[in-house]
Amino acid sequence: MILHDLISFEVLRLIWWVLLGVLLIGFALTDGFDMGVGALLPFVGQTDVERRVVINTIGPVWEGNQVWFILGGGAIFAAWPPLYAVSFSGFYLAMFAILAALILRPVGFKYRSKRDSAKWRSSWDWALFVGGAAPALLFGVAVGNVLLGVPFHLTEDLMPMYDGTFYGKFLGLLRPFALLCGVVSLSMLIMHGAAWLSVKTKGMVAFRAQRIGTVAGMIAAAGYALAGLWLAFGIDGFHITSEIVTDGPSNPLFKEVLHEGSWLIAYTERPWILIAPILGFVGIFMAVRGLREGFEVSTFLWSKLAILGVISSVGLTMFPFILPSTVDPRSSLTVWDSSSSHLTLFVMLVATVIFLPIILAYTAWVYKVLWGKVTEDDVNRSHSAY
């Protein structure tokens, strides 16, 4: 027996679909509060010392948190190459904007205190704001466009082709529903960042974070509810109408797809997935309550649950679609026709089983060592503080 035949191609595809979701959710849970803290920085810190406190709550951990982003990109490249090719070519300018914003974060951390100038430091504080707020917004816009469908088609030799001009592709992403998803993403991560600051700081910084996070959480809940109604009554979903071959070759053109009806039909076909949006709403509600009442660790955990529910609801609603096409629905990428080979998925799974627990253990150890509040005395006394 060939070793990789121990797990069927169909099961491996499902496993890697789940793992892709785990990596993206892991990125949102960890680097998400980094982005939220960056977006909050100019507003929760009124003095230079307060802003240094805010920066030092994420300074020791943000690099490790970005490992999830790298793992997610690597997983898309290796496990879902058609998805990587189609999404990165169509979202090129959006991806560039996200990366440019993310680059501002390490540069801002390193350069902010190089000069003892209020104007200099304030400029870098706003750069850190952009480095947190812009990716949080654009990631949500990307998710909204995935739900709407993307204007691409595949040629007979599976080369992706996009409609529109180079710059038009970026502007075409800024559709009303996608912008709403961006607002949900931004407000949810601001809430998450506020929950982190309530754990790591005290005094006026924590008070301001809790106040802003409460408002952000209410905006996230309202936006999430509005997005659900919009999906139900204003946006056509995608549905496979031909026979579904779960262990066939990775060729999206072998199926027939209908672009009509609602995405939310999935909840009548698989009622159990309703747990995801329920977790999203419950998590947001309890996080907002925790921020208002001044709870700390429990609020942060509820905020994590909200992110888990919101992101997983998108993947479960769309299943088995990963990236639908509005130009040629037949070209839409699904779990069953856009993966790498059976052997590749198996080898990657073995590597993941070995190394993912190591990453989780190391991450847990780092947070244990760095646990505790950051105070003004800490940043003034420590030579290693930002």
Side-chain angles (χ1 to χ4, degrees):
M1 175 185 292
I2 301 176
L3 191 60
H4 68 269
D5 286 336
L6 292 172
I7 305 178
S8 70
F9 200 10
E10 174 186 0
V11 172
L12 279 171
R13 280 170 162 167
L14 274 175
I15 289 173
W16 273 102
W17 174 76
V18 172
L19 283 174
L20 178 60
V22 168
L23 294 174
L24 294 178
I25 291 171
F27 171 63
L29 294 179
T30 54
D31 205 43
F33 68 75
D34 294 334
M35 290 185 280
V37 168
L40 286 167
L41 175 62
F43 310 105
V44 298
Q46 298 299 313
T47 67
D48 180 66
V49 175
E50 286 181 346
R51 293 185 179 186
R52 288 177 64 202
V53 168
V54 173
I55 291 171
N56 278 275
T57 64
I58 59 173
V61 298
W62 72 269
E63 288 178 292
N65 292 340
Q66 280 203 245
V67 167
W68 295 95
F69 183 54
I70 298 168
L71 288 175
I76 294 174
F77 174 77
W80 309 98
L83 174 62
Y84 184 89
V86 173
S87 60
F88 276 71
S89 58
F91 296 167
Y92 182 83
L93 284 178
M95 293 290 184
F96 183 83
I98 290 173
L99 291 175
L102 290 175
I103 289 171
L104 286 175
R105 183 163 53 188
V107 176
F109 287 160
K110 298 298 182 182
Y111 279 85
R112 182 187 184 277
S113 295
K114 293 297 184 182
R115 292 176 59 185
D116 190 12
S117 164
K119 184 177 181 180
W120 170 270
R121 294 186 175 189
S122 177
S123 298
W124 283 114
D125 289 338
W126 284 105
L128 289 170
F129 165 79
V130 173
L137 176 68
L138 291 174
F139 280 128
V141 170
V143 171
N145 276 280
V146 169
L147 285 164
L148 290 167
V150 181
F152 75 94
H153 69 276
L154 299 176
T155 63
E156 291 303 318
D157 56 359
L158 301 184
M159 179 180 292
M161 304 294 291
Y162 273 81
D163 289 355
T165 63
F166 181 72
Y167 295 103
K169 294 175 187 177
F170 177 73
L171 296 176
L173 299 176
L174 305 179
R175 294 177 278 184
F177 177 78
L179 291 173
L180 172 63
C181 292
V183 170
V184 173
S185 173
L186 176 59
S187 56
M188 185 170 63
L189 294 185
I190 287 176
M191 178 190 73
H192 196 39
W196 174 252
L197 288 177
S198 72
V199 173
K200 296 291 291 182
T201 64
K202 58 184 181 180
M204 290 304 298
V205 171
F207 173 75
R208 296 186 195 107
Q210 290 163 357
R211 185 178 59 187
I212 298 172
T214 298
V215 176
M218 291 188 290
I219 293 173
Y224 187 46
L226 178 58
L229 292 173
W230 203 332
L231 275 180
F233 302 108
I235 295 174
D236 288 334
F238 292 77
H239 311 280
I240 299 175
T241 57
S242 58
E243 180 184 0
I244 299 177
V245 179
T246 59
D247 58 355
S250 291
N251 188 332
L253 300 179
F254 286 171
K255 67 180 181 301
E256 296 296 329
V257 175
L258 194 63
H259 183 199
E260 63 180 37
S262 171
W263 277 119
L264 301 192
I265 291 176
Y267 291 88
T268 62
E269 298 172 345
R270 305 186 302 275
W272 62 270
I273 68 175
L274 189 62
I275 187 65
I278 290 175
L279 290 178
F281 281 115
V282 170
I284 293 174
F285 173 79
M286 294 301 293
V288 169
R289 178 176 177 270
L291 288 168
R292 293 183 65 179
E293 298 295 330
F295 301 146
E296 295 182 359
V297 176
S298 62
T299 300
F300 189 56
L301 295 177
W302 284 118
S303 179
K304 286 180 176 288
L305 183 68
I307 292 173
L308 171 65
V310 170
I311 296 179
S312 60
S313 69
V314 176
L316 291 170
T317 299
M318 292 183 60
F319 183 84
F321 288 91
I322 302 178
L323 188 64
S325 166
T326 55
V327 175
D328 177 20
R330 191 171 61 115
S331 297
S332 300
L333 307 182
T334 73
V335 173
W336 312 123
D337 57 25
S338 56
S339 72
S340 291
S341 68
H342 191 172
L343 177 60
T344 300
L345 295 183
F346 180 80
V347 172
M348 289 176 58
L349 181 61
V350 172
T352 301
V353 169
I354 295 172
F355 290 105
L356 188 58
I358 296 174
I359 294 172
L360 292 172
Y362 171 79
T363 302
W365 177 78
V366 168
Y367 278 92
K368 181 181 179 181
V369 170
L370 297 173
W371 195 252
K373 292 186 180 292
V374 180
T375 66
E376 294 185 9
D377 288 339
D378 292 332
V379 298
N380 286 326
R381 184 173 59 249
S382 175
H383 294 293
S384 61
Y386 284 106

